[in-house]
Coordinates of all heavy atoms in Angstrom, one line a residue:
M491 N 3.4 -0.1 -3.2 CA 3.0 -0.8 -1.9 C 3.2 -2.3 -2.1 O 2.8 -2.9 -3.1 CB 1.6 -0.4 -1.6 CG 1.1 -1.2 -0.4 SD -0.7 -1.2 -0.2 CE -1.0 0.4 0.5
N492 N 3.8 -2.9 -1.1 CA 4.0 -4.3 -1.1 C 3.0 -5.0 -0.2 O 3.0 -4.8 1.0 CB 5.4 -4.6 -0.6 CG 5.8 -6.1 -0.8 OD1 4.9 -6.9 -1.1 ND2 7.0 -6.4 -0.5
S493 N 2.1 -5.7 -0.9 CA 1.1 -6.4 -0.1 C 1.3 -7.9 -0.1 O 0.4 -8.6 0.3 CB -0.3 -6.1 -0.8 OG -0.3 -6.6 -2.1
S494 N 2.5 -8.4 -0.4 CA 2.7 -9.8 -0.5 C 2.5 -10.5 0.9 O 2.0 -11.6 0.9 CB 4.1 -10.1 -1.0 OG 5.1 -9.6 -0.2
G495 N 2.8 -9.8 2.0 CA 2.6 -10.4 3.3 C 1.1 -10.7 3.6 O 0.8 -11.7 4.1
A496 N 0.3 -9.7 3.3 CA -1.1 -9.8 3.5 C -1.7 -10.9 2.6 O -2.5 -11.7 3.1 CB -1.8 -8.5 3.3
I497 N -1.3 -10.8 1.4 CA -1.8 -11.8 0.4 C -1.4 -13.2 0.9 O -2.3 -14.2 0.8 CB -1.3 -11.5 -1.0 CG1 -1.8 -10.2 -1.5 CG2 -1.6 -12.7 -2.0 CD1 -3.3 -10.1 -1.8
S498 N -0.2 -13.4 1.3 CA 0.3 -14.7 1.7 C -0.5 -15.2 2.9 O -0.9 -16.4 3.0 CB 1.8 -14.7 2.1 OG 2.5 -14.4 1.0
K499 N -0.8 -14.3 3.9 CA -1.6 -14.8 5.0 C -3.0 -15.1 4.6 O -3.6 -16.1 5.1 CB -1.7 -13.6 6.1 CG -0.4 -13.5 6.8 CD -0.4 -12.5 7.9 CE 0.9 -12.4 8.6 NZ 0.9 -11.4 9.6
L500 N -3.7 -14.3 3.7 CA -5.0 -14.7 3.3 C -5.0 -16.0 2.6 O -6.0 -16.8 2.7 CB -5.6 -13.5 2.4 CG -5.9 -12.2 3.1 CD1 -6.1 -11.1 2.0 CD2 -7.0 -12.4 4.0
Q501 N -4.0 -16.3 1.8 CA -3.9 -17.6 1.1 C -3.7 -18.7 2.1 O -4.3 -19.8 2.0 CB -2.8 -17.6 0.1 CG -3.1 -16.8 -1.2 CD -2.0 -16.8 -2.2 OE1 -0.9 -16.4 -1.9 NE2 -2.3 -17.2 -3.4
A502 N -2.8 -18.5 3.1 CA -2.5 -19.5 4.1 C -3.8 -19.9 4.8 O -3.9 -21.1 5.2 CB -1.4 -19.0 5.0
F503 N -4.7 -18.9 5.1 CA -5.9 -19.2 5.8 C -7.0 -19.7 4.8 O -8.2 -19.8 5.2 CB -6.3 -18.0 6.6 CG -5.5 -17.8 7.8 CD1 -4.6 -16.7 7.9 CD2 -5.5 -18.7 8.9 CE1 -3.8 -16.5 9.0 CE2 -4.7 -18.5 10.0 CZ -3.9 -17.4 10.1
D504 N -6.7 -19.9 3.6 CA -7.6 -20.3 2.6 C -8.8 -19.3 2.4 O -9.9 -19.8 2.1 CB -8.1 -21.7 2.9 CG -8.8 -22.3 1.7 OD1 -8.4 -22.1 0.5 OD2 -9.8 -23.1 1.9
L505 N -8.6 -18.0 2.6 CA -9.6 -17.0 2.4 C -9.6 -16.5 1.0 O -10.7 -16.1 0.5 CB -9.4 -15.9 3.4 CG -9.5 -16.3 4.9 CD1 -9.1 -15.1 5.7 CD2 -10.9 -16.7 5.2
I506 N -8.5 -16.6 0.3 CA -8.4 -16.2 -1.2 C -7.6 -17.2 -1.9 O -6.8 -18.0 -1.3 CB -7.9 -14.8 -1.4 CG1 -6.4 -14.7 -0.9 CG2 -8.7 -13.7 -0.7 CD1 -5.7 -13.4 -1.3
R507 N -7.7 -17.2 -3.2 CA -6.9 -18.0 -4.1 C -6.6 -17.3 -5.4 O -7.4 -16.4 -5.8 CB -7.5 -19.4 -4.3 CG -8.8 -19.4 -5.1 CD -9.3 -20.8 -5.4 NE -10.6 -20.7 -6.0 CZ -10.9 -20.4 -7.3 NH1 -9.9 -20.2 -8.1 NH2 -12.1 -20.3 -7.8
E508 N -5.5 -17.6 -6.0 CA -5.2 -17.0 -7.3 C -6.2 -17.5 -8.4 O -6.7 -18.6 -8.3 CB -3.8 -17.4 -7.8 CG -2.7 -16.7 -7.0 CD -1.3 -17.0 -7.6 OE1 -1.2 -17.1 -8.9 OE2 -0.4 -17.1 -6.8
N509 N -6.5 -16.6 -9.3 CA -7.5 -16.9 -10.3 C -7.0 -16.3 -11.6 O -7.8 -15.5 -12.3 CB -8.9 -16.4 -9.9 CG -10.0 -16.9 -10.8 OD1 -9.9 -18.0 -11.3 ND2 -10.9 -16.0 -11.2
G510 N -5.8 -16.5 -12.0 CA -5.3 -16.0 -13.3 C -4.5 -14.7 -13.1 O -4.1 -14.3 -12.0
K511 N -4.2 -14.1 -14.3 CA -3.4 -12.9 -14.3 C -4.2 -11.8 -15.1 O -4.9 -12.2 -16.1 CB -2.1 -13.2 -15.0 CG -1.2 -14.1 -14.2 CD 0.2 -13.9 -14.4 CE 1.1 -14.8 -13.6 NZ 1.6 -14.1 -12.4
K512 N -4.0 -10.6 -14.7 CA -4.7 -9.5 -15.4 C -3.9 -9.2 -16.7 O -2.7 -9.2 -16.7 CB -4.7 -8.2 -14.6 CG -5.6 -7.2 -15.1 CD -5.9 -6.1 -14.1 CE -6.8 -5.1 -14.7 NZ -7.2 -4.0 -13.7
E513 N -4.6 -9.0 -17.8 CA -3.9 -8.7 -19.1 C -3.5 -7.3 -19.2 O -4.1 -6.5 -20.1 CB -4.9 -9.1 -20.2 CG -5.2 -10.6 -20.3 CD -4.0 -11.5 -20.5 OE1 -3.1 -11.1 -21.2 OE2 -3.9 -12.6 -19.9
V514 N -2.6 -6.8 -18.4 CA -2.0 -5.5 -18.5 C -0.5 -5.6 -18.3 O 0.0 -6.7 -17.9 CB -2.6 -4.6 -17.4 CG1 -4.1 -4.4 -17.6 CG2 -2.3 -5.1 -16.0
I515 N 0.2 -4.5 -18.5 CA 1.7 -4.6 -18.3 C 2.0 -5.0 -16.8 O 1.4 -4.6 -15.9 CB 2.3 -3.2 -18.5 CG1 2.1 -2.8 -20.0 CG2 3.7 -3.1 -18.1 CD1 2.5 -1.4 -20.3
G516 N 2.9 -6.0 -16.7 CA 3.3 -6.5 -15.4 C 2.5 -7.8 -15.1 O 2.9 -8.5 -14.2
R517 N 1.3 -8.0 -15.7 CA 0.5 -9.1 -15.5 C 0.3 -9.5 -14.0 O 0.8 -10.6 -13.6 CB 1.0 -10.3 -16.3 CG 0.9 -10.1 -17.8 CD 1.2 -11.2 -18.7 NE 0.8 -12.5 -18.2 CZ -0.3 -13.1 -18.6 NH1 -1.2 -12.6 -19.4 NH2 -0.6 -14.3 -18.1
P518 N -0.3 -8.6 -13.3 CA -0.4 -9.0 -11.8 C -1.4 -10.1 -11.6 O -2.3 -10.4 -12.5 CB -1.0 -7.7 -11.3 CG -1.7 -7.0 -12.4 CD -0.9 -7.4 -13.6
N519 N -1.2 -10.8 -10.5 CA -2.1 -11.9 -10.2 C -3.5 -11.4 -9.9 O -3.6 -10.3 -9.3 CB -1.6 -12.7 -9.0 CG -0.3 -13.4 -9.3 OD1 -0.1 -13.8 -10.4 ND2 0.5 -13.6 -8.3
L520 N -4.5 -12.2 -10.2 CA -5.9 -11.9 -9.8 C -6.3 -12.9 -8.7 O -5.9 -14.0 -8.8 CB -6.8 -12.0 -11.0 CG -6.6 -11.0 -12.1 CD1 -7.5 -11.4 -13.3 CD2 -6.9 -9.6 -11.7
Y521 N -7.0 -12.4 -7.7 CA -7.4 -13.3 -6.6 C -8.9 -13.2 -6.5 O -9.6 -12.3 -6.8 CB -6.8 -12.8 -5.3 CG -5.3 -12.8 -5.3 CD1 -4.5 -11.8 -5.8 CD2 -4.7 -14.0 -4.9 CE1 -3.1 -11.8 -5.8 CE2 -3.3 -14.1 -5.0 CZ -2.5 -13.0 -5.4 OH -1.1 -13.1 -5.4
V522 N -9.5 -14.4 -6.0 CA -10.9 -14.5 -5.7 C -11.1 -15.0 -4.3 O -10.2 -15.7 -3.8 CB -11.7 -15.4 -6.7 CG1 -11.6 -14.8 -8.1 CG2 -11.1 -16.8 -6.7
T523 N -12.2 -14.7 -3.7 CA -12.5 -15.3 -2.4 C -12.9 -16.7 -2.5 O -13.4 -17.2 -3.6 CB -13.6 -14.5 -1.7 OG1 -14.7 -14.5 -2.5 CG2 -13.2 -13.1 -1.4
T524 N -12.7 -17.5 -1.4 CA -13.0 -18.9 -1.4 C -14.3 -19.1 -0.8 O -14.9 -18.2 -0.1 CB -11.9 -19.7 -0.7 OG1 -11.9 -19.2 0.7 CG2 -10.6 -19.5 -1.3
D525 N -14.9 -20.3 -0.9 CA -16.1 -20.7 -0.2 C -15.9 -20.6 1.3 O -16.7 -20.2 2.1 CB -16.6 -22.1 -0.5 CG -17.1 -22.1 -2.0 OD1 -17.6 -21.1 -2.5 OD2 -17.1 -23.2 -2.6
Y526 N -14.6 -20.9 1.8 CA -14.3 -20.8 3.2 C -14.4 -19.4 3.7 O -14.9 -19.1 4.8 CB -12.9 -21.4 3.4 CG -12.5 -21.3 4.9 CD1 -13.1 -22.1 5.9 CD2 -11.6 -20.4 5.3 CE1 -12.8 -22.0 7.2 CE2 -11.2 -20.3 6.7 CZ -11.8 -21.1 7.6 OH -11.5 -21.0 8.9
F527 N -14.0 -18.4 2.8 CA -14.2 -17.0 3.2 C -15.6 -16.7 3.5 O -15.9 -16.1 4.5 CB -13.7 -16.1 2.0 CG -14.0 -14.7 2.2 CD1 -13.1 -13.9 2.9 CD2 -15.1 -14.1 1.7 CE1 -13.3 -12.5 3.1 CE2 -15.3 -12.7 1.9 CZ -14.4 -11.9 2.6
L528 N -16.5 -17.2 2.6 CA -18.0 -16.9 2.9 C -18.4 -17.5 4.2 O -19.1 -16.9 5.0 CB -18.8 -17.4 1.7 CG -18.5 -16.8 0.3 CD1 -19.3 -17.5 -0.8 CD2 -18.9 -15.3 0.3
D529 N -18.0 -18.8 4.4 CA -18.4 -19.5 5.6 C -17.8 -18.7 6.8 O -18.5 -18.5 7.8 CB -17.8 -20.9 5.7 CG -18.6 -21.8 4.7 OD1 -19.7 -21.5 4.3 OD2 -18.0 -22.9 4.3
Y530 N -16.6 -18.3 6.8 CA -15.9 -17.6 7.8 C -16.6 -16.3 8.2 O -16.7 -16.0 9.3 CB -14.4 -17.4 7.5 CG -13.6 -16.7 8.6 CD1 -13.1 -17.5 9.6 CD2 -13.4 -15.4 8.6 CE1 -12.4 -16.9 10.6 CE2 -12.6 -14.8 9.6 CZ -12.1 -15.6 10.6 OH -11.4 -15.0 11.6
M531 N -17.0 -15.6 7.1 CA -17.7 -14.3 7.3 C -19.2 -14.5 7.7 O -19.9 -13.6 8.0 CB -17.6 -13.5 6.1 CG -16.2 -13.0 5.8 SD -15.7 -12.0 7.1 CE -14.4 -11.1 6.4
G532 N -19.7 -15.8 7.6 CA -21.1 -16.0 7.9 C -22.0 -15.5 6.9 O -23.1 -15.0 7.3
I533 N -21.6 -15.5 5.6 CA -22.5 -15.0 4.6 C -22.6 -16.0 3.5 O -21.8 -16.9 3.4 CB -22.0 -13.6 4.0 CG1 -20.6 -13.8 3.4 CG2 -22.0 -12.5 5.0 CD1 -20.0 -12.6 2.8
N534 N -23.7 -15.8 2.7 CA -23.9 -16.8 1.6 C -23.4 -16.3 0.2 O -23.2 -17.0 -0.7 CB -25.4 -17.1 1.4 CG -26.0 -17.7 2.7 OD1 -25.3 -18.7 3.2 ND2 -27.1 -17.3 3.2
D535 N -23.2 -14.9 0.2 CA -22.9 -14.3 -1.1 C -22.1 -13.0 -0.8 O -22.3 -12.4 0.2 CB -24.2 -14.0 -1.9 CG -23.9 -13.5 -3.3 OD1 -23.8 -14.4 -4.2 OD2 -23.8 -12.3 -3.4
L536 N -21.1 -12.7 -1.7 CA -20.4 -11.5 -1.5 C -21.2 -10.2 -1.5 O -20.8 -9.2 -0.9 CB -19.3 -11.3 -2.6 CG -18.2 -12.4 -2.6 CD1 -17.2 -12.2 -3.8 CD2 -17.4 -12.3 -1.3
A537 N -22.4 -10.3 -2.1 CA -23.3 -9.1 -2.1 C -23.7 -8.8 -0.7 O -24.2 -7.6 -0.5 CB -24.5 -9.4 -3.0
Q538 N -23.6 -9.7 0.2 CA -24.0 -9.4 1.6 C -23.0 -8.6 2.4 O -23.2 -8.1 3.5 CB -24.3 -10.7 2.3 CG -25.5 -11.4 1.8 CD -25.7 -12.8 2.6 OE1 -24.9 -13.7 2.3 NE2 -26.7 -12.8 3.4
L539 N -21.8 -8.4 1.8 CA -20.8 -7.6 2.4 C -21.2 -6.1 2.4 O -21.9 -5.7 1.5 CB -19.4 -7.8 1.7 CG -18.7 -9.1 1.9 CD1 -17.5 -9.2 1.0 CD2 -18.3 -9.3 3.4
P540 N -20.7 -5.3 3.4 CA -21.1 -3.9 3.3 C -20.5 -3.2 2.1 O -19.4 -3.6 1.7 CB -20.5 -3.3 4.6 CG -19.6 -4.3 5.1 CD -19.9 -5.7 4.5
D541 N -21.1 -2.2 1.6 CA -20.6 -1.4 0.5 C -19.4 -0.6 1.0 O -19.5 0.0 2.0 CB -21.7 -0.5 0.0 CG -21.3 0.2 -1.3 OD1 -20.5 1.1 -1.3 OD2 -21.8 -0.3 -2.4
V542 N -18.3 -0.7 0.2 CA -17.1 0.0 0.6 C -17.4 1.5 0.9 O -16.8 2.1 1.8 CB -16.0 -0.2 -0.4 CG1 -14.8 0.6 -0.1 CG2 -15.7 -1.6 -0.6
S543 N -18.2 2.1 0.1 CA -18.5 3.6 0.3 C -19.2 3.9 1.6 O -19.2 5.0 2.1 CB -19.4 4.1 -0.9 OG -20.6 3.4 -0.9
D544 N -19.8 2.8 2.3 CA -20.4 3.0 3.6 C -19.3 3.0 4.7 O -19.6 3.4 5.8 CB -21.4 1.9 3.9 CG -22.6 2.0 2.9 OD1 -22.8 3.1 2.3 OD2 -23.3 1.0 2.8
L545 N -18.1 2.6 4.4 CA -17.1 2.5 5.4 C -16.3 3.8 5.5 O -16.0 4.4 4.4 CB -16.1 1.3 5.1 CG -16.8 0.0 5.0 CD1 -15.8 -1.0 4.6 CD2 -17.5 -0.4 6.3
D546 N -16.0 4.3 6.6 CA -15.2 5.5 6.8 C -13.7 5.1 7.0 O -13.2 5.2 8.1 CB -15.7 6.3 8.0 CG -15.2 7.7 8.1 OD1 -14.4 8.1 7.1 OD2 -15.4 8.4 9.1
L547 N -13.1 4.7 5.9 CA -11.8 4.1 5.9 C -10.7 5.2 6.2 O -9.7 4.9 6.8 CB -11.5 3.4 4.6 CG -12.4 2.2 4.3 CD1 -12.0 1.6 2.9 CD2 -12.2 1.1 5.4
V548 N -10.9 6.4 5.7 CA -9.9 7.4 5.9 C -9.7 7.7 7.4 O -8.5 7.7 7.9 CB -10.3 8.7 5.2 CG1 -9.3 9.8 5.5 CG2 -10.3 8.5 3.7
D549 N -10.7 7.8 8.1 CA -10.6 8.1 9.6 C -10.0 6.8 10.3 O -9.2 7.0 11.2 CB -12.0 8.4 10.2 CG -12.4 9.8 9.8 OD1 -11.6 10.6 9.4 OD2 -13.6 10.1 10.0
Q550 N -10.4 5.6 9.8 CA -9.8 4.4 10.4 C -8.3 4.3 10.1 O -7.5 4.0 11.0 CB -10.5 3.2 9.9 CG -11.9 3.1 10.4 CD -12.7 1.9 9.9 OE1 -12.1 1.0 9.2 NE2 -14.0 1.8 10.1
E551 N -7.9 4.7 8.9 CA -6.5 4.6 8.6 C -5.7 5.7 9.4 O -4.6 5.4 9.9 CB -6.3 4.9 7.1 CG -6.6 3.7 6.2 CD -6.5 4.0 4.8 OE1 -6.0 5.1 4.4 OE2 -6.9 3.2 4.0
T552 N -6.3 6.8 9.5 CA -5.6 7.9 10.3 C -5.5 7.4 11.8 O -4.4 7.6 12.4 CB -6.4 9.2 10.3 OG1 -6.5 9.6 8.9 CG2 -5.8 10.3 11.1
E553 N -6.5 6.8 12.3 CA -6.5 6.3 13.7 C -5.4 5.2 13.8 O -4.6 5.2 14.8 CB -7.8 5.8 14.1 CG -7.9 5.4 15.6 CD -9.4 5.0 15.9 OE1 -10.3 5.7 15.5 OE2 -9.5 3.9 16.5
L554 N -5.4 4.3 12.9 CA -4.5 3.2 13.0 C -3.0 3.6 12.8 O -2.1 3.1 13.5 CB -4.8 2.1 11.9 CG -6.0 1.2 12.2 CD1 -6.4 0.4 11.0 CD2 -5.8 0.4 13.4
F555 N -2.8 4.4 11.8 CA -1.4 4.7 11.4 C -1.0 6.1 11.8 O 0.2 6.5 11.5 CB -1.2 4.5 9.9 CG -1.6 3.2 9.4 CD1 -2.7 2.9 8.7 CD2 -0.8 2.1 9.8 CE1 -3.0 1.6 8.3 CE2 -1.1 0.8 9.4 CZ -2.2 0.6 8.6
G556 N -1.8 6.9 12.4 CA -1.4 8.2 12.9 C -1.1 9.2 11.7 O -0.4 10.1 11.9
Q557 N -1.7 8.9 10.5 CA -1.4 9.8 9.4 C -2.2 11.0 9.5 O -3.3 11.0 9.9 CB -1.8 9.0 8.1 CG -0.9 7.8 7.9 CD -1.4 7.1 6.6 OE1 -2.5 7.2 6.2 NE2 -0.5 6.2 6.1
K558 N -1.6 12.1 9.1 CA -2.2 13.4 9.1 C -1.6 14.2 8.0 O -0.5 13.9 7.5 CB -2.2 14.1 10.4 CG -0.7 14.4 10.8 CD -0.7 15.1 12.1 CE 0.7 15.4 12.5 NZ 1.1 16.8 12.7
E559 N -2.3 15.3 7.6 CA -1.7 16.2 6.7 C -0.5 16.9 7.3 O -0.6 17.5 8.4 CB -2.8 17.2 6.3 CG -2.5 18.0 5.1 CD -2.6 17.3 3.8 OE1 -3.3 16.3 3.7 OE2 -1.8 17.6 2.8
A560 N 0.6 16.9 6.6 CA 1.8 17.5 7.1 C 1.8 19.0 6.9 O 1.3 19.5 5.8 CB 3.0 16.9 6.4
S561 N 2.2 19.8 7.8 CA 2.3 21.2 7.7 C 3.5 21.6 6.8 O 4.4 20.7 6.6 CB 2.4 21.9 9.0 OG 3.7 21.6 9.6
E562 N 3.6 22.8 6.3 CA 4.7 23.2 5.5 C 6.0 23.1 6.3 O 7.0 22.8 5.8 CB 4.5 24.7 5.0 CG 3.5 24.8 3.9 CD 3.4 26.2 3.4 OE1 4.4 26.9 3.4 OE2 2.3 26.5 2.9
E563 N 5.9 23.5 7.6 CA 7.1 23.4 8.5 C 7.6 21.9 8.6 O 8.8 21.7 8.6 CB 6.8 24.0 9.9 CG 6.5 25.4 9.9 CD 5.1 25.8 9.6 OE1 4.2 24.9 9.7 OE2 4.9 26.9 9.1
E564 N 6.7 21.0 8.8 CA 7.1 19.6 8.9 C 7.7 19.1 7.6 O 8.7 18.4 7.6 CB 5.8 18.7 9.3 CG 5.3 19.0 10.7 CD 4.0 18.3 10.9 OE1 3.1 18.3 10.0 OE2 3.9 17.7 12.0
V565 N 7.1 19.5 6.5 CA 7.7 19.1 5.2 C 9.0 19.7 5.0 O 10.0 19.0 4.6 CB 6.7 19.5 4.0 CG1 7.4 19.3 2.7 CG2 5.4 18.7 4.1
S566 N 9.2 20.9 5.3 CA 10.5 21.6 5.2 C 11.5 20.9 6.1 O 12.7 20.7 5.7 CB 10.3 23.1 5.6 OG 11.5 23.7 5.4
A567 N 11.1 20.6 7.3 CA 12.1 20.0 8.3 C 12.6 18.6 7.7 O 13.7 18.2 8.0 CB 11.4 19.8 9.6
L568 N 11.7 17.9 7.0 CA 12.1 16.6 6.5 C 12.9 16.7 5.2 O 13.8 15.9 4.9 CB 10.8 15.8 6.2 CG 10.1 15.3 7.5 CD1 8.8 14.7 7.0 CD2 10.9 14.4 8.3
T569 N 12.7 17.8 4.4 CA 13.3 17.9 3.1 C 14.6 18.7 3.1 O 15.5 18.4 2.4 CB 12.4 18.4 2.0 OG1 11.9 19.7 2.5 CG2 11.2 17.5 1.8
E570 N 14.7 19.7 4.0 CA 15.9 20.5 4.0 C 17.2 19.8 4.2 O 18.2 20.0 3.5 CB 15.8 21.6 5.0 CG 14.9 22.8 4.6 CD 14.8 23.9 5.6 OE1 15.6 23.9 6.6 OE2 13.9 24.7 5.4
P571 N 17.3 18.8 5.1 CA 18.6 18.1 5.3 C 18.9 17.3 4.0 O 20.1 17.3 3.6 CB 18.3 17.1 6.4 CG 17.2 17.7 7.2 CD 16.3 18.4 6.2
H572 N 18.0 16.8 3.3 CA 18.2 16.1 2.1 C 18.7 17.0 1.0 O 19.5 16.7 0.2 CB 17.0 15.3 1.6 CG 16.6 14.2 2.6 ND1 17.4 13.1 2.8 CD2 15.6 14.2 3.5 CE1 16.8 12.4 3.8 NE2 15.7 13.0 4.2
E573 N 18.0 18.2 0.9 CA 18.4 19.2 -0.1 C 19.9 19.6 0.1 O 20.6 19.8 -0.8 CB 17.5 20.4 -0.1 CG 16.1 20.1 -0.6 CD 15.1 21.2 -0.4 OE1 15.5 22.2 0.2 OE2 13.9 21.1 -0.8
N574 N 20.2 19.9 1.4 CA 21.6 20.2 1.7 C 22.6 19.1 1.3 O 23.7 19.4 0.7 CB 21.8 20.6 3.2 CG 21.0 21.8 3.6 OD1 20.7 22.7 2.7 ND2 20.7 22.0 4.8
H575 N 22.2 17.9 1.6 CA 23.0 16.8 1.2 C 23.2 16.7 -0.3 O 24.3 16.4 -0.8 CB 22.5 15.5 1.8 CG 23.3 14.3 1.6 ND1 24.5 14.1 2.1 CD2 23.1 13.2 0.8 CE1 25.1 13.0 1.7 NE2 24.2 12.4 0.9
L576 N 22.1 16.9 -1.0 CA 22.2 16.9 -2.5 C 23.1 17.9 -3.0 O 23.9 17.7 -4.0 CB 20.8 17.0 -3.1 CG 19.9 15.8 -2.9 CD1 18.5 16.1 -3.5 CD2 20.4 14.6 -3.7
D577 N 23.1 19.1 -2.4 CA 24.0 20.2 -2.8 C 25.4 19.8 -2.6 O 26.3 20.0 -3.4 CB 23.7 21.5 -2.0 CG 22.3 22.1 -2.4 OD1 21.8 21.8 -3.5 OD2 21.8 22.9 -1.6
E578 N 25.7 19.1 -1.5 CA 27.1 18.7 -1.2 C 27.5 17.6 -2.2 O 28.6 17.7 -2.7 CB 27.1 18.1 0.2 CG 27.0 19.1 1.3 CD 26.8 18.4 2.7 OE1 27.1 17.2 2.8 OE2 26.4 19.1 3.7
L579 N 26.6 16.7 -2.5 CA 26.9 15.7 -3.5 C 27.2 16.3 -4.9 O 28.1 15.9 -5.6 CB 25.8 14.6 -3.6 CG 25.7 13.7 -2.4 CD1 24.5 12.8 -2.6 CD2 26.9 12.8 -2.3
E580 N 26.4 17.3 -5.2 CA 26.6 17.9 -6.5 C 27.9 18.6 -6.6 O 28.6 18.5 -7.6 CB 25.4 18.9 -6.8 CG 25.5 19.6 -8.1 CD 24.3 20.5 -8.4 OE1 23.3 20.4 -7.6 OE2 24.4 21.3 -9.3
T581 N 28.3 19.3 -5.5 CA 29.6 20.0 -5.5 C 30.7 18.9 -5.6 O 31.7 19.2 -6.3 CB 29.7 20.8 -4.1 OG1 28.7 21.7 -4.0 CG2 31.1 21.5 -4.0
E582 N 30.6 17.8 -4.8 CA 31.7 16.8 -4.9 C 31.7 16.2 -6.3 O 32.8 16.0 -6.8 CB 31.4 15.7 -3.9 CG 31.6 16.1 -2.5 CD 31.3 14.9 -1.5 OE1 31.4 13.7 -1.9 OE2 30.9 15.2 -0.4
F583 N 30.6 16.0 -7.0 CA 30.6 15.5 -8.3 C 31.3 16.4 -9.3 O 32.1 16.0 -10.1 CB 29.1 15.2 -8.7 CG 29.0 14.6 -10.1 CD1 29.4 13.2 -10.3 CD2 28.6 15.3 -11.2 CE1 29.3 12.6 -11.6 CE2 28.5 14.7 -12.4 CZ 28.9 13.4 -12.6
K584 N 31.0 17.7 -9.2 CA 31.6 18.7 -10.0 C 33.1 18.7 -9.8 O 33.9 18.8 -10.8 CB 31.0 20.1 -9.8 CG 29.6 20.2 -10.4 CD 29.1 21.6 -10.1 CE 27.6 21.7 -10.7 NZ 27.0 23.0 -10.4
E585 N 33.6 18.6 -8.6 CA 35.0 18.6 -8.3 C 35.6 17.3 -8.9 O 36.8 17.4 -9.4 CB 35.2 18.6 -6.8 CG 34.9 19.9 -6.2 CD 35.0 19.9 -4.6 OE1 35.3 18.8 -4.1 OE2 34.7 20.9 -4.0
L586 N 35.0 16.2 -8.9 CA 35.5 15.0 -9.5 C 35.6 15.1 -11.0 O 36.5 14.5 -11.6 CB 34.6 13.8 -9.1 CG 34.7 13.3 -7.7 CD1 33.7 12.2 -7.4 CD2 36.1 12.8 -7.4
E587 N 34.7 15.8 -11.6 CA 34.7 15.9 -13.1 C 35.9 16.8 -13.6 O 36.3 16.6 -14.7 CB 33.4 16.6 -13.6 CG 32.2 15.7 -13.6 CD 31.0 16.4 -14.1 OE1 30.7 17.6 -13.8 OE2 30.2 15.8 -14.9
Q588 N 36.4 17.6 -12.7 CA 37.5 18.5 -13.1 C 38.8 17.9 -13.0 O 39.3 17.0 -12.7 CB 37.5 19.8 -12.2 CG 36.2 20.6 -12.4 CD 36.2 21.8 -11.4 OE1 37.0 21.9 -10.6 NE2 35.1 22.6 -11.6

């Protein structure tokens, strides 16, 4: 998932800032909220934010993005054309090898 656009916007509005790199493979950037973030949210401390477990994010994501569990028929309709194309490519490749 590419989140660079969202991160850039949050930084542009001075809501977050970089705060080092995580000591793991790839060394991703670490970010922290700014004092402006707290002022903007009208809170004094991050502990005043709602607990993530209290939020019903799955339903909100489904509503926003129209995501749903795909039926077997939908999955098949999406994958069959690709499987046929792969079979054609495999046949062409074998012909080229000969």
Side-chain angles (χ1 to χ4, degrees):
M491 174 195 280
N492 185 351
S493 59
S494 62
I497 296 292
S498 295
K499 285 183 182 180
L500 291 169
Q501 286 179 304
F503 288 109
D504 194 34
L505 296 170
I506 63 170
R507 65 177 172 78
E508 285 186 37
N509 190 39
K511 298 209 176 260
K512 190 168 184 176
E513 296 297 326
V514 297
I515 295 174
R517 295 189 35 96
N519 293 330
L520 296 173
Y521 296 91
V522 295
T523 56
T524 62
D525 289 336
Y526 180 69
F527 173 87
L528 297 174
D529 290 339
Y530 183 81
M531 292 298 200
I533 58 177
N534 297 316
D535 188 87
L536 292 177
Q538 291 177 288
L539 290 172
D541 190 282
V542 175
S543 63
D544 293 340
L545 303 175
D546 192 4
L547 298 176
V548 173
D549 287 343
Q550 290 177 10
E551 287 177 5
T552 301
E553 185 178 313
L554 284 173
F555 302 111
Q557 296 174 343
K558 60 178 181 122
E559 192 73 29
S561 69
E562 286 185 32
E563 292 82 21
E564 291 171 318
V565 171
S566 181
L568 291 172
T569 57
E570 280 180 15
H572 298 289
E573 289 171 358
N574 292 339
H575 184 67
L576 288 175
D577 290 340
E578 291 171 14
L579 288 174
E580 186 177 340
T581 302
E582 287 178 31
F583 183 73
K584 285 180 182 177
E585 289 173 0
L586 289 173
E587 285 183 318
Q588 297 174 354

